[in-house]
Amino acid sequence: MVQPSIPADVPDVTPDSLGDDIYLLDVREQDEWDAGHAPHAHHIPMYEIPQRLAEVPTVGDVVVVCRVGGRSAQVAAYLAAQGWENVANLDGGMLAWERSGRAVVADTGLPARVL
């Protein structure tokens, strides 16, 4: 099987540049998500992306996030290779999100933190 080429031009965006109308796709593992995530983010762990592609919108801006930006860059490139033209990587990941003063929430009742 021929693998699609990975586009090198998937843009990086910063937390400060994001509006409220983005689809924020968090690709971290379940324990990372449980510890703390962005409000209104959508959680699909990195290794589930190929099976759950239909859940990722093709209309509107999609920003992919992980802890520091490495995994999310891979997922953003993968989505672009699959035909998504509306995808970007969050530069610095959830650590940058938190440093920029953006909210982090946890669904566990414990104080939210970025793992």
Side-chain angles (χ1 to χ4, degrees):
M1 173 170 50
V2 176
Q3 294 292 324
S5 62
I6 303 296
D9 59 348
V10 172
D12 284 324
V13 295
T14 63
D16 296 333
S17 70
L18 301 178
D20 293 331
D21 57 343
I22 62 159
Y23 182 93
L24 188 62
L25 175 59
D26 192 322
V27 297
R28 296 176 301 148
E29 295 299 321
Q30 188 67 48
D31 63 326
E32 294 172 291
W33 170 266
D34 290 343
H37 56 272
H40 310 295
H42 303 270
H43 184 227
I44 304 176
M46 179 179 185
Y47 294 106
E48 294 180 20
I49 292 292
Q51 296 81 28
R52 297 176 62 185
L53 277 177
E55 296 177 40
V56 182
T58 56
V59 176
D61 294 326
V62 174
V63 177
V64 187
V65 63
C66 66
R67 182 174 188 264
V68 296
R71 289 173 286 177
S72 56
Q74 292 176 43
V75 171
Y78 175 78
L79 291 172
Q82 303 305 308
W84 270 255
E85 297 178 0
N86 58 331
V87 66
N89 179 51
L90 185 62
D91 188 32
M94 282 301 297
L95 291 177
W97 177 274
E98 186 176 48
R99 273 194 311 273
S100 74
R102 295 273 189 143
V104 177
V105 298
D107 300 332
T108 62
L110 298 173
R113 59 194 172 98
V114 175
L115 290 184

